[in-house]
Amino acid sequence: MNLQVSAQSLIFGIFVGGLYGLAAVGLSLVFGVMKMLNVAHGELLMLGGYVTFWFFSLYHIDPFLSLLPSAFVLFLIGMGLYKGLFSPLAKLHEEVKIKNSLLIGFGLSLVFHNLAIRLWTADERSVSVFYSGWGFSLFGLRFPFIRLAGLVLATIVILALQQFLTKTYFGKAIRATTENWESAALMGINIEKTSMVSFALGAALAAMAGTIVSVGYAIHPAMGLEWTLKALIVVVLAGLGNIGGAFVAGVLLGGVESVSALFVGPYMEVVGLVIFLLVLELRPQGLFGKRSE
Amino acid sequence: MSSHRKNIFLGLGIAILLALVPLLTKRNDIINIMVLIFLYICLAQSWNILAGYTGQVSLGHAAFFGLGAITTRILWVGGYPFLMAFTTGGLVAVVFALIVGHPALRLRGIYFAIGTLGLAQILKITVGNILPTVADLPGDYIATYNLIPRYYLFLILAVIMVVVVYLVGHSKLGLGMVAVREDEEAAEASGVNPFRQKMISLAISSFFAGLAGGAFAFYQVSYYHDLPFSPTWTFDALLITFVGGVGTIVGPIIGAFFYAIFREFFARAFPELHVFIFGTLFILVVLLLPGGLVEAVSRIRRLIRAKKTDTGFS
Amino acid sequence: MLEIERINVSYGDLQVLWDVFFEVKKEEIVALIGPNSAGKTTTLKTVSGLLRPFAGEIRFEGLAMGNMPIHKRVEMGISLVPEGRGLFPGMSTLENLELGAFTAKGRNCKEETLEQVYQLFPILKKRKKQAAGTLSGGEQQMLAIGRGLMSKPKLLLFDEPSWGLSPLLSKVIYEVIGEINHSGVTILLIEQNVRMALQLAKRAYVIENGRIVKHGDGRNMLNDQHIREVYLGTESV
Ligand SMILES: Nc1ncnc2c1ncn2[C@@H]1O[C@H](COP(=O)(O)OP(=O)(O)OP(=O)(O)O)[C@@H](O)[C@H]1O
Ligand SMILES: [Mg+2]
C-alpha cells in the first residue's frame, strides 16, 4: 500500500474525526448530567447545519461566522425541547426515565427528519464559499483550507468547553451534577436549571458540528441517524459522560475509519460499529473510562 | 373462559370476513392497502413480543426482517419452491437471533437498544450491499405475478402472528416475560430464568420478523437494494406499537391500520407525512398516555359510561 | 428553628416514617438515635428535601417547607452532610469545598469560610488538589463536613459523622462539631455511637420502626433503662 495515500486518508480521517468528537461531546455532556441518551442528537446537528445554510443562502453570511448564531438558535431550541419533552421525565424512576428519554429522542428524530424534508427537500446541500478550493500541500499531502479550519474550530470549541467546565462556577455545577446529582442539589445547585442549560448546550454543540459539516461536507435530512450513530460510537468508546475522552475517541474513530477504508472500501463504517459492539460487550465503561466500583 | 371464547370467535369472524375481501372487490388499491396493513401487523406484533411483553426495546428489528426477506428472495428466485424459501427465511432470522442473542441480551436497557441498532446497521451495510442482485424480480416472475396469493399469504401470516401473541400472552411463558419486563431481579427471585425468557421472546420475535420479510420479498416486485435492512422497518414497528398500545394485543393492530391508511392517504400530496404524524403521536403517547390508543379508547368508554349512569340517575 | 410535625414518608408503596415529630431549637445540638433501618436517614433526607412527606409538615424558622425544592432549602440555611459522605469523587478537594459554597451567601464569604475550614482540618489544605475519591476515609469525612460548612448554614444536619472512623478520629470530629455549634450553628445529628451522641447533645429523640418512641434530655437519656439496654449494651445500675 502506498504510504502517501495512507497518510493522506489518515489526515482526512482526522479532519472528520474532529467533527465526530465535537458531535459526541454534546451527547456525552447531556448524558452525564441527565443520564439520558438523546438519540435525536444527530438531528439537532442536522438542524444546525441547515440554520447555517439558511443564513448563508438568505443573508450571505459566511458559514464560519454563523457558527455562534447557529449555536444560539439551537441553544434556544434545546431549551424548548428540554422544557417541553425531557423535563417532565425527570420525576420518573431512573430506569423508566432512561428508557422514555430514549423513546422521546427517537420520536423527535423522526419528526425532525420529516420536517427537514418538508422544509428543505431530501436533496443534499452544501454551503459553497468562494474559498472552497483553497488549501496547501505539505510533503505532497493536501490540506484543504475549509477542512483544516473545521478541525481547528472544533478543537477550539472543545477547549473552550473544557475551560467552562473546570473554571466557572456553573461549569463545576454541571460536573458535580454529573457525578452525583443528589449531592449537587444539597450544595444548593438547581438541578432543573443545570439540566436545561446542559441540554441546550448539547444542542448548541451539535449545531456547531453541523455548521462545520455544512461547509466542508454536505448536509441532508437523513444525516441525523448517521451522526447519532457516530456520536454514540465515540461516546461508548470514551465511556458515557467522559467529555475529554470523547474528543480523542472521535479523532481516533475518524482515523481508523479512513485508514480501514483503504482495505475494506465502502464497508469502512462497519469497522467503527464492530468496535462499538465489542466495547459495549467487554468494557461498558468505555476505553478511556474508569471502572466504577 | 367465556371472554376467552368470545375473543376467539370475534377473531375468527374478522379473519373470515377478511378472507372474503378478494372475492368482493377487484380493486388492486384496496388489496394493496390490506397487504400493507397485514405487513405492519406482523412487523409491529413481532416487535411487541420482545419489547412490549418482555421489556427489551430492540432497535435492531430490521436485521431480522432483512435476513428473512433476502433469504427468501434468493432461494425463491433461485428456483426453489416459495414455501420452502419462505420458511428458510424465517429460520435464518432465528438462527441469527440465537447467535447474537447471548451477547446482546446481556446488555441491559438502553445498552441493548443501541447495541441492537449497531448490529442492524452492520447487517445493512454488509449483507444489504453484498447481495443487491435480487432487488428486482426476473421477467418471468413478473409475468406470472398475481396479487391474490400474496394477499392470502399476508392474511394468514398476520392471523397466525396475532394468535401466537394471544396464546403467549395468556400462557405461563407470557407471565414470565411480563415478570422480566416489570423487574428482572424480582422475576429471578421468584424462579423465572430471565435470560431464558428473553431468549425465547427474541426467537419468536425474530422468526416472525423474518417471515414478514419473506412475505415482503414475495410481494415487492423491485426495491432499492438495501431496503430490506433499512432501519425504517424498526422505526415503523416502534411507532405502530406505541401509538396503538405497547404490550397489548389489540394495540399493534389498530396502530398498523391507521399507519397504513395514513401512508396511502398522504402518499401523493405529502409522502412520509404519516411518519411525521405518528412520530408526533408517539412522543405524546410516551409522555402522556403510555397505553396508546387502546388506553385512550378505554378511557373514553369509561367516561361515556360514567356520563350515562349520571344522566340515568338525574 | 426546625419543627417536624407528624410527617409520614414512603418509598413507593413502602411506608417507613409514621407521624414522626420533633423540634430543634436555635443553637441546640439534637441527636436522633435508633437502630438500623429505623428511618433516621429517611428523616434527614426529608428535612433536606430529597424526599417529600405525603402527610405532615416541616417548618424552618416558622416557614412551611411544603414542596420547596432542595436548593432553595440550602439557600435558606439548611445543609446536610449525607450518609456515605456524598462527595464528588472525580473533583478535587478544593472544588468540592467550592461547590459547598455554591449559594449566593456561601459565595460571598467563600475565602473566609475556606480559611476557617482549613483551620478546623489543616489536612484538607494539603490535599487541596487531590481528587476527593482518592482521599482516605477520615479525610473524606472531614471534607464532607467542611463542605457542609461552606454554605454558611444556620442548621447543619449530620448523618453518622463518625461512620467508618477510628475512635480517636471520631473524638476529633465530635470536638469539631462542638466547635461548630459554639460558633452559632444549630445541629441535628444521627449517630450509631449513642454514648458519644448523648454526651454531646442537649436533647435526643429515639426513633424505632419509623416512629418516635422517646425523647428527652441528652444526659438523662444516658441513664434511661431502655436506652442502656438496647443502645449502650449495659444493664441498668
Ligand atoms: N431508596 C429506598 N427505597 C426503598 N426503601 C428504602 C430506601 N431507602 C431506605 N429504604 C428503607 O427504609 C427503611 C429506613 O431506612 P433508613 O435509611 O432511613 O434507615 P436508617 O435509620 O438510616 O438506618 P441505618 O442506621 O442503617 O443507616 C429501611 O427499611 C430501608 O430498607
Ligand atoms: Mg442511615
Side-chain angles (χ1 to χ4, degrees):
Chain A
M1 180 93 12
N2 188 333
L3 190 68
Q4 181 97 19
V5 175
S6 315
Q8 182 68 65
S9 41
L10 182 63
I11 287 169
F12 280 139
I14 290 172
F15 287 156
V16 184
L19 297 181
Y20 292 171
L22 188 55
V25 161
L27 188 68
S28 193
L29 179 78
V30 173
F31 181 85
V33 171
M34 310 202 298
K35 307 293 177 276
M36 289 179 182
L37 205 51
N38 176 21
V39 286
H41 194 70
E43 274 73 19
L44 296 176
L45 187 149
M46 179 228 354
L47 287 184
Y50 274 111
V51 169
T52 299
F53 175 76
W54 245 356
F55 280 150
F56 179 75
S57 45
L58 297 182
Y59 309 110
H60 308 290
I61 299 174
D62 184 274
F64 286 118
L65 284 183
S66 59
L67 193 76
L68 290 179
S70 164
F72 181 68
V73 171
L74 264 287
F75 188 90
L76 295 181
I77 292 179
M79 280 199 340
L81 289 178
Y82 177 81
K83 273 280 166 212
L85 302 180
F86 292 96
S87 163
L89 299 180
K91 292 174 217 76
L92 296 174
H93 186 270
E94 182 89 5
E95 225 168 286
V96 184
K97 182 175 83 177
I98 293 181
K99 199 175 113 188
N100 282 8
S101 67
L102 181 89
L103 293 173
I104 286 184
F106 164 77
L108 262 185
S109 72
L110 290 181
V111 167
F112 281 148
H113 177 189
N114 251 269
L115 206 62
I117 296 179
R118 230 36 13 106
L119 288 175
W120 299 290
T121 78
D123 299 337
E124 263 198 4
R125 306 199 179 240
S126 170
V127 177
S128 46
V129 281
F130 61 91
Y131 48 83
S132 284
W134 293 7
F136 60 90
S137 292
L138 204 66
F139 307 117
L141 300 171
R142 260 203 74 64
F143 291 82
F145 172 70
I146 45 175
R147 302 228 171 156
L148 191 61
L151 180 65
V152 171
L153 276 178
T155 314
I156 292 174
V157 170
I158 305 254
L159 289 178
L161 179 69
Q162 286 279 20
Q163 288 299 307
F164 169 70
L165 289 176
T166 50
K167 295 281 146 58
T168 68
Y169 239 114
F170 201 82
K172 284 176 193 173
I174 288 180
R175 280 163 61 221
T177 311
T178 300
E179 294 211 358
N180 185 339
W181 76 265
E182 288 199 345
S183 287
L186 291 173
M187 300 301 105
I189 293 168
N190 182 342
I191 302 296
E192 172 75 7
K193 194 172 122 199
T194 309
S195 300
M196 183 176 74
V197 173
S198 305
F199 191 88
L201 207 56
L205 287 164
M208 292 197 237
T211 295
I212 300 175
V213 172
S214 77
V215 204
Y217 308 83
I219 53 173
H220 54 99
M223 71 193 286
L225 180 64
E226 287 165 41
W227 280 89
T228 299
L229 268 173
K230 293 286 186 236
L232 271 178
I233 295 172
V234 171
V235 165
V236 166
L237 280 178
L240 286 171
N242 177 354
I243 290 168
F247 189 58
V248 182
V251 173
L252 205 68
L253 177 68
V256 168
E257 267 189 4
S258 62
V259 170
S260 57
L262 297 172
F263 301 96
V264 294
Y267 302 111
M268 66 166 194
E269 293 195 38
V270 175
V271 176
L273 286 167
V274 169
I275 300 176
F276 168 70
L277 290 183
L278 286 178
V279 172
L280 217 49
E281 239 354 275
L282 305 173
R283 271 185 72 89
Q285 76 276 27
L287 282 182
F288 306 124
K290 289 179 221 91
R291 196 179 282 268
S292 60
E293 280 162 278
Chain B
M1 257 301 114
S2 80
S3 87
H4 213 60
R5 214 169 258 163
K6 219 170 93 189
N7 288 338
I8 290 171
F9 279 127
L10 186 67
L12 214 65
I14 293 176
I16 290 171
L17 279 182
L18 289 172
L20 294 176
V21 167
L23 304 177
L24 300 175
T25 178
K26 290 279 164 282
R27 282 180 57 182
N28 277 355
D29 55 343
I30 291 183
I31 304 281
N32 275 319
I33 291 190
M34 303 292 286
V35 166
L36 201 59
I37 295 173
F38 299 149
L39 170 65
Y40 282 146
I41 289 177
C42 297
L43 195 65
Q45 209 68 275
S46 57
W47 187 78
N48 189 27
I49 279 254
L50 183 61
Y53 284 84
T54 325
Q56 308 301 305
V57 175
S58 158
L59 294 181
H61 209 53
F64 306 114
F65 182 89
L67 280 175
I70 208 152
T71 308
T72 305
R73 190 84 162 202
I74 290 170
L75 292 177
W76 179 48
V77 169
Y80 291 91
F82 171 71
L83 278 183
M84 193 207 125
F86 179 63
T87 329
T88 314
L91 292 177
V92 166
V94 177
V95 169
F96 181 70
L98 295 179
I99 295 171
V100 298
H102 188 78
L105 288 172
R106 268 188 36 201
L107 303 174
R108 292 255 193 126
I110 49 167
Y111 291 90
F112 178 75
I114 61 176
T116 46
L117 178 62
L119 198 63
Q121 287 301 105
I122 291 179
L123 253 66
K124 172 174 184 278
I125 297 167
T126 52
V127 186
N129 274 327
I130 293 168
L131 300 166
T133 49
V134 291
D136 302 297
L137 280 183
D140 49 331
Y141 280 71
I142 299 176
T144 58
Y145 188 91
N146 182 354
L147 196 53
I148 304 305
R150 270 105 186 146
Y151 178 85
Y152 284 109
L153 175 71
F154 270 107
L155 173 60
I156 293 167
L157 188 60
V159 168
I160 294 178
M161 181 77 249
V162 173
V163 169
V164 165
V165 176
Y166 185 78
L167 290 180
V168 168
H170 286 80
S171 70
K172 221 180 130 204
L173 180 68
L175 283 180
M177 289 176 180
V178 172
V180 170
R181 176 189 73 193
E182 292 303 317
D183 187 339
E184 227 176 296
E185 271 77 31
E188 192 158 17
S190 65
V192 175
N193 178 348
F195 186 74
R196 196 172 147 263
Q197 299 290 330
K198 289 197 259 179
M199 203 68 183
I200 294 174
S201 178
L202 177 66
I204 299 175
S205 166
S206 60
F207 183 61
F208 281 97
L211 290 184
F216 174 78
F218 186 52
Y219 167 76
Q220 194 78 4
V221 175
S222 71
Y223 50 76
Y224 191 70
H225 67 87
D226 66 359
L227 176 68
F229 290 95
S230 163
T232 346
W233 298 113
T234 306
F235 300 165
D236 289 343
L238 252 95
L239 292 182
I240 292 168
T241 310
F242 267 92
V243 172
V246 66
T248 68
I249 188 152
V250 187
I253 300 175
I254 302 178
F257 178 79
F258 284 111
Y259 198 62
I261 298 283
F262 282 3
R263 179 176 158 159
E264 284 309 303
F265 186 75
F266 295 118
R268 287 268 167 66
F270 311 100
E272 302 290 303
L273 187 66
H274 65 295
V275 180
F276 184 82
I277 296 172
F278 262 62
T280 313
L281 287 177
F282 174 89
I283 294 174
L284 292 176
V285 163
V286 172
L287 277 180
L288 308 171
L289 197 73
L293 287 176
V294 170
E295 192 183 323
V297 168
S298 70
R299 275 196 199 177
I300 292 170
R301 255 201 213 148
R302 237 177 292 144
L303 258 171
I304 292 173
R305 209 171 295 154
K307 270 253 174 70
K308 264 191 190 150
T309 50
D310 262 11
T311 49
F313 277 106
S314 66
Chain C
M1 172 176 250
L2 178 72
E3 292 142 59
I4 309 294
E5 296 166 359
R6 297 182 154 270
I7 55 169
N8 289 265
V9 178
S10 62
Y11 295 101
D13 296 333
L14 178 76
Q15 184 166 354
V16 291
L17 295 188
W18 278 270
D19 289 336
V20 166
F21 66 92
F22 58 87
E23 186 190 3
V24 184
K25 298 203 184 82
K26 206 166 180 337
E27 298 188 2
E28 262 189 332
I29 298 184
V30 171
L32 185 62
I33 60 177
N36 287 115
S37 318
K40 305 182 295 292
T41 299
T42 305
T43 306
L44 287 203
K45 281 189 170 177
T46 312
V47 172
S48 62
L50 286 166
L51 297 169
R52 298 281 147 82
F54 65 85
E57 185 59 273
I58 295 172
R59 281 173 201 286
F60 182 65
E61 296 189 310
L63 200 79
M65 296 280 106
N67 276 334
M68 186 186 284
I70 310 165
H71 67 272
K72 283 269 159 56
R73 301 186 194 207
V74 182
E75 279 165 18
M76 286 192 67
I78 302 178
S79 178
L80 169 67
V81 179
E83 189 175 37
R85 295 154 193 153
L87 297 173
F88 306 112
M91 303 177 79
S92 71
T93 299
L94 181 60
E95 281 177 323
N96 269 273
L97 289 172
E98 284 173 340
L99 282 163
F102 189 82
T103 55
K105 189 175 159 200
R107 246 182 271 193
N108 277 339
C109 43
K110 189 174 93 186
E111 295 308 322
E112 202 185 309
T113 331
L114 197 59
E115 269 322 303
Q116 288 166 6
V117 170
Y118 283 156
Q119 245 162 37
L120 285 177
F121 305 114
I123 188 81
L124 292 183
K125 192 167 188 174
K126 283 204 198 109
R127 300 271 182 270
K128 207 157 73 171
K129 294 252 159 68
Q130 196 173 324
T134 63
L135 297 177
S136 77
E139 289 164 352
Q140 289 192 10
Q141 191 63 58
M142 295 180 210
L143 178 53
I145 296 174
R147 193 182 62 174
L149 285 171
M150 290 297 293
S151 65
K152 285 268 161 201
K154 295 177 192 158
L155 172 67
L156 198 48
L157 314 171
F158 285 103
D159 197 339
E160 302 198 23
S162 72
W163 182 82
L165 302 184
S166 70
L168 191 70
L169 204 52
S170 305
K171 244 187 99 197
V172 174
I173 297 281
Y174 265 77
E175 275 162 20
V176 171
I177 294 177
E179 279 176 46
I180 294 170
N181 178 242
H182 276 298
S183 72
V185 180
T186 312
I187 285 170
L188 172 60
L189 180 78
I190 291 180
E191 196 44 86
Q192 291 282 333
N193 189 334
V194 171
R195 187 185 305 274
M196 217 150 71
L198 291 183
Q199 276 166 356
L200 184 70
K202 180 161 181 306
R203 292 181 312 111
Y205 291 80
V206 182
I207 182 171
E208 287 175 7
N209 293 322
R211 291 186 170 84
I212 300 288
V213 293
K214 211 181 250 313
H215 58 100
D217 212 66
R219 303 248 161 213
N220 291 349
M221 292 282 249
L222 272 174
N223 297 320
D224 182 279
Q225 180 169 354
H226 176 75
I227 302 279
R228 291 183 76 90
E229 278 171 17
V230 179
Y231 298 101
L232 300 174
T234 47
E235 291 302 310
S236 54
V237 278

PDB file of all heavy atoms in Angstrom, chain C residues 40-41 83 159-160, ligand 2:
ATOM      1  N   LYS C  40     -33.840   6.868  60.221  1.00  0.00           N
ATOM      2  CA  LYS C  40     -33.096   8.091  60.565  1.00  0.00           C
ATOM      3  C   LYS C  40     -32.664   8.835  59.304  1.00  0.00           C
ATOM      4  O   LYS C  40     -32.914  10.043  59.160  1.00  0.00           O
ATOM      5  CB  LYS C  40     -31.854   7.724  61.402  1.00  0.00           C
ATOM      6  CG  LYS C  40     -32.176   6.913  62.641  1.00  0.00           C
ATOM      7  CD  LYS C  40     -30.941   6.610  63.461  1.00  0.00           C
ATOM      8  CE  LYS C  40     -29.912   5.725  62.783  1.00  0.00           C
ATOM      9  NZ  LYS C  40     -30.301   4.325  62.544  1.00  0.00           N
ATOM     10  N   THR C  41     -32.016   8.104  58.409  1.00  0.00           N
ATOM     11  CA  THR C  41     -31.562   8.742  57.174  1.00  0.00           C
ATOM     12  C   THR C  41     -32.754   9.301  56.400  1.00  0.00           C
ATOM     13  O   THR C  41     -32.706  10.417  55.870  1.00  0.00           O
ATOM     14  CB  THR C  41     -30.795   7.724  56.308  1.00  0.00           C
ATOM     15  OG1 THR C  41     -29.653   7.281  57.039  1.00  0.00           O
ATOM     16  CG2 THR C  41     -30.333   8.337  55.008  1.00  0.00           C
ATOM     17  N   GLU C  83     -25.178  10.645  54.608  1.00  0.00           N
ATOM     18  CA  GLU C  83     -24.667   9.310  54.904  1.00  0.00           C
ATOM     19  C   GLU C  83     -23.772   8.890  53.744  1.00  0.00           C
ATOM     20  O   GLU C  83     -24.088   9.106  52.581  1.00  0.00           O
ATOM     21  CB  GLU C  83     -25.861   8.358  54.998  1.00  0.00           C
ATOM     22  CG  GLU C  83     -25.519   6.979  55.503  1.00  0.00           C
ATOM     23  CD  GLU C  83     -26.792   6.136  55.693  1.00  0.00           C
ATOM     24  OE1 GLU C  83     -27.721   6.271  54.884  1.00  0.00           O
ATOM     25  OE2 GLU C  83     -26.836   5.352  56.647  1.00  0.00           O
ATOM     26  N   ASP C 159     -25.416  13.015  59.140  1.00  0.00           N
ATOM     27  CA  ASP C 159     -25.852  11.621  59.122  1.00  0.00           C
ATOM     28  C   ASP C 159     -24.650  10.726  59.406  1.00  0.00           C
ATOM     29  O   ASP C 159     -23.844  10.450  58.534  1.00  0.00           O
ATOM     30  CB  ASP C 159     -26.477  11.285  57.759  1.00  0.00           C
ATOM     31  CG  ASP C 159     -27.305  10.002  57.815  1.00  0.00           C
ATOM     32  OD1 ASP C 159     -27.075   9.194  58.738  1.00  0.00           O
ATOM     33  OD2 ASP C 159     -28.169   9.824  56.936  1.00  0.00           O
ATOM     34  N   GLU C 160     -24.521  10.307  60.653  1.00  0.00           N
ATOM     35  CA  GLU C 160     -23.437   9.432  61.094  1.00  0.00           C
ATOM     36  C   GLU C 160     -22.046   9.954  60.741  1.00  0.00           C
ATOM     37  O   GLU C 160     -21.319   9.348  59.949  1.00  0.00           O
ATOM     38  CB  GLU C 160     -23.638   8.024  60.523  1.00  0.00           C
ATOM     39  CG  GLU C 160     -24.969   7.458  60.937  1.00  0.00           C
ATOM     40  CD  GLU C 160     -25.038   5.950  60.780  1.00  0.00           C
ATOM     41  OE1 GLU C 160     -23.972   5.312  60.772  1.00  0.00           O
ATOM     42  OE2 GLU C 160     -26.148   5.427  60.698  1.00  0.00           O
TER      43      GLU C 160
HETATM   44 MG    MG D   2     -28.913   5.746  57.781  1.00  0.00          MG
END
